[in-house]
Amino acid sequence: MTSLGLSKRATVVDNTIRASAGDRVFMVINYVLLTIILLIVLYPLVYTLSASLSDPSAVITGKVVLFPVDFSLRSYEKIFNYPSIINGMLNSLFYTVVGSSVSIVLTFLAAYPLTRKDLPGRRFFTILFFFPLLFSGGLIPFYLVTRDLGLVNTRWALIIPTALSVWNLIITISYLRSSIPEELWEAAQIDGCSDIGYLMKIILPLSKSLVAVLFLVYAVAQWNQYFFSLIFQTNPDLAPLQIVLRNILILNKIDLGMIADVQRLADQQALQEQLKFSSIVVASIPVLMLYPFVQRYFVQGLTIGAIKG
Amino acid sequence: MGVMRSSETVQPAISVRSATANRGSLSHLLLQIRRRWQLYLLLALPIAYIITFAYIPMIGAQIAFRDYTVAGGVWGSEWVGFAHFERFFNSYQFTRLITNTISLGIYLLAVGFPIPIILALSLHQVQALWFKKLVQMVTYAPHFISTVVMVGLILQMLNPRFGILAQLTTALNLPQANAMSRPELYQSIYVWTDIWQHMGFSAIIYLAALTNIDPALHEAAVVDGASRFQRIRHIDIPGIMPIATMLLILNFGNFINIGFEKVLLLQNPVNTSVSEILDTYVYKIGLASPTLDFSYATAIGLFKGVIAFLMVVVANYAVKKMGQESLW
């Protein structure tokens, strides 16, 4: 109903008073500008996909311009037979699932009490959590704490030290404040509901979309993370996908002997370059596939966190 | 508390009552704390986390004033005062690191701030909903690409043999160039690929602000014969001004904290003279060199941390002065 009314209103504005020539020129320029932006953003993505689906020699000789040349799935076959990529994917899956779950629990544990006005010392605890946004001890002391806790070279190194994001805490607090009325707590309290019971029975069931947003934010950050593995883990068995990708894409460290029986140097180089494109696709697809489904939630969550009240 | 104490001394007539109220409020507070024990139980784990990984490192930053040794640790190593800071200020790296950090930060802010606003204003004018959705969906997508993949993509696109740049220069009969081996291009590559990756996502907040503008304003302007451009200038831009000012000032306070993971990944031996910033230098000295100099690296990190802190405080003060909602 409302959307119908709104669109009707919009047409009234745009059609009954006929657009002037200047406005029409303006709109044409606007569409052209946006189309250019669209193409600039889209082209590298399409090119990467096409290159990964082409024949290696076509890629390296620059024959791929827009569409795949000599369509071939060989590089994907190779990628999925490359042990460190498979290992990296499994590790990243573990870090993403476990890490995001730990993070969400921790975020709610902090956010819920901080939204309760009857918590003695609420202001103190709020400052305690927010001050680290303004000042931090720096990378080295952070590293030393993690090292002294014995987390270096364990899987936990990628989960515990970065478990709570204060930005996500802010999003969560503003969501809870704006979407769950305080009267609910008063009513629940009269019914004899405990503080923890209120969190479990009222807050959590009412914040499903928030949990989805938090999972997405934490999961994307965890899946894309490489730096903390770089400083905390030297054991390649623990390496997440991004570290494996860094070796392939940026350091040019790829062991073709494990996956291909290519003798000629030129073929080797061609395959190596093409594997870069297919590994880019393979690493980005899980995140990009997830995103259209949750885009709505994501945008909502972001604007909730950003615009206070 | 302070108010109560002053009322006790200034007005003795009601001092008895306020004293009992004071005692009452104290026991009331204790009762409140006892009643809310479950909330403290919930808070215990996050507090343990934040103390361990945020506050203990702040205390640990004291090694910037010590000569850290493995045997001495954070508390037992010898005090050296400001020696590490002096060493840094006098080193040949100092000016270079500061220049690189500031110029990259300002470049990024100068380009990265207006473009999402222009994109949002432009998208807001689009009437064809499918087109608007398409542009939004495509421009948001790169935001989710990881830094490693992004840098890999940049290197492939700029590859002198087959990348887009090479194809373009061949088509136009221009001389071939390896962009990554030209230090003078480093900052532009960093900034413009950052725009490519994040402009759509950064536009979200402005689009949200634009949809919150009262449509009656636009209707009235149309009736008065305002052109689209005039409506953007006099309705849309003032409408997003509050949020834009706040973001600009906060970004300004934050601009020393450049996304250093990307800076690090885009580095190569040819471009370090422009690509070395404070953060990457701290990492290299402290964690990636054969002789790990924890104290020196911490001193440089602390120097940066203090500057960043002061800038955020000043920026927030400015936001407050302008009558906007501030951070605290």
Side-chain angles (χ1 to χ4, degrees), chain A residues 49-88:
Chain A
L49 189 64
S50 297
S52 74
L53 292 169
S54 301
D55 189 73
S57 59
V59 175
I60 202 161
T61 49
K63 281 191 193 127
V64 180
V65 178
L66 182 62
F67 295 111
V69 176
D70 302 328
F71 184 86
S72 131
L73 286 171
R74 260 182 64 208
S75 68
Y76 286 99
E77 225 179 275
K78 300 270 182 286
I79 285 285
F80 285 111
N81 283 317
Y82 194 61
S84 37
I85 288 213
I86 299 301
N87 189 39

Side-chain angles (χ1 to χ4, degrees), chain A residues 9 23 30 40-41 43 48 64 120 128 147 160-161 195-196 224 226-227 230 242 273 291 298 302, chain B residues 36 38 40 49 55 57 68 122 125 137 140 144 146 153 156 164 167 196 201 219 228 261 283 326:
Chain A
R9 196 180 193 181
D23 274 3
N30 194 35
I40 290 175
V41 176
Y43 181 68
T48 303
V64 180
L128 185 77
R147 189 195 67 180
I160 295 174
D195 292 324
I196 291 178
N224 286 344
Y226 87 97
F227 183 68
L230 186 69
Q242 301 298 331
E273 285 309 322
Y291 134 82
F298 209 98
L302 256 169
Chain B
R36 299 274 81 88
Q38 289 192 338
Y40 293 105
Y49 167 83
Y55 287 93
Y68 184 88
S122 166
Q125 292 296 321
M137 188 150 155
Y140 294 174
F144 296 90
S146 76
L153 198 60
Q156 292 303 88
I164 292 175
Q167 296 195 15
W196 180 85
F201 206 74
E219 283 166 30
R228 280 187 176 272
E261 297 193 353
Y283 162 69
S326 63

Side-chain angles (χ1 to χ4, degrees), chain B residues 214-227:
Chain B
D214 186 358
L217 285 175
H218 279 287
E219 283 166 30
V222 170
V223 172
D224 288 346
S227 73

